[in-house]
Amino acid sequence: MKRQFLALLLGLLMCVGFMAGCTSGEEAKGPSFVKFTLEEGEIIMELYPDIAPKTVKHILETIKSGYYEGKVFHRTIPGLIQGGSADGFGVGGSGRTVVGEFTENGFENNLKHERGVVSMARSNDPNSASAQFFIMTDTQTYLDGKYATFGKVVEGIEIADAIAAMPTRGAMNDELVTKPVILKAEILKDYAPPAAS
């Protein structure tokens, strides 16, 4: 009887430990740093799971899948550049979507659309964000509360500035003529951001 009880207790502890391990790895707990390498240079972002946990988890999974490699930045409008579409022209994503973690969709997210902030692009459906994202090159307050901000550029904002200054075309004059290619997207281990000056 005692042996059966010990076996049951050990099994229960293993089960609890397994479940705890799964839960802890489900969403990032602290800041994560990711790097997007383009021919134009490198953009390093800090992601904020405390602000948008589901979005950060989704982006990290999308990076791990290799989805972003070969994708482009296809669009620029005043204050931002956008990339990550499936077709290179602003249509499609990774085939998976994430709930919109922004104020108008019932989530508290106070990270403003200021220079360097990274946010999820989406359609009119508030829960349609997939892989497209945009990087703010200037403050645009009209976006606040309407899109899920989830990170900020810590190195390479000048690359985003250079992309924003590239020639555009199209009916809305927002399509980049030359579309910078994401050569590699990776999660950085043991990265320390530069000290604030």
Side-chain angles (χ1 to χ4, degrees):
M1 185 73 162
K2 192 174 183 181
R3 188 176 285 179
Q4 287 176 330
F5 175 75
L6 287 173
L8 180 64
L9 183 61
L10 182 61
L12 182 62
L13 288 172
M14 286 175 64
C15 184
V16 168
F18 175 74
M19 287 168 62
C22 288
T23 304
S24 66
E26 204 168 279
E27 292 177 357
K29 298 298 179 197
S32 296
F33 294 92
V34 298
K35 179 168 71 174
F36 287 80
T37 302
L38 297 81
E39 283 185 3
E40 291 76 7
E42 297 175 345
I43 299 174
I44 298 176
M45 306 169 191
E46 180 177 5
L47 309 187
Y48 304 134
D50 55 325
I51 292 173
K54 290 180 173 55
T55 304
V56 169
K57 179 177 183 284
H58 179 83
I59 286 292
L60 292 174
E61 288 174 350
T62 305
I63 290 172
K64 285 178 191 173
S65 77
Y67 170 85
Y68 285 113
E69 290 168 18
K71 300 300 185 286
V72 300
F73 283 92
H74 64 276
R75 176 176 187 247
T76 184
I77 60 173
L80 65 87
I81 62 170
Q82 183 174 329
S85 70
D87 72 348
F89 292 92
V91 178
S94 66
R96 299 178 306 112
T97 57
V98 63
V99 65
E101 294 177 303
F102 52 91
T103 307
E104 288 190 4
N105 202 34
F107 291 81
E108 184 179 354
N109 184 335
N110 298 315
L111 181 61
K112 306 294 186 189
H113 287 86
E114 299 172 342
R115 178 169 169 79
V117 167
V118 189
S119 191
M120 291 299 285
R122 61 174 177 83
S123 70
N124 289 332
D125 177 350
N127 301 314
S128 62
S130 176
Q132 294 191 52
F133 63 92
F134 53 96
I135 299 172
M136 303 305 299
T137 55
D138 200 359
T139 298
Q140 297 292 348
T141 57
Y142 76 93
L143 299 170
D144 292 343
K146 296 176 172 65
Y147 295 85
T149 50
F150 65 93
K152 189 169 185 179
V153 173
V154 293
E155 286 191 60
I157 192 65
E158 69 279 2
I159 306 302
D161 291 336
I163 293 170
M166 289 178 169
T168 54
R169 64 184 172 198
M172 299 185 72
N173 199 33
D174 62 345
E175 180 192 348
L176 288 162
V177 175
T178 300
K179 297 179 174 65
V181 179
I182 299 168
L183 303 174
K184 187 174 184 180
E186 59 191 308
I187 299 166
L188 300 179
K189 307 285 186 194
D190 303 319
Y191 171 79
S197 53

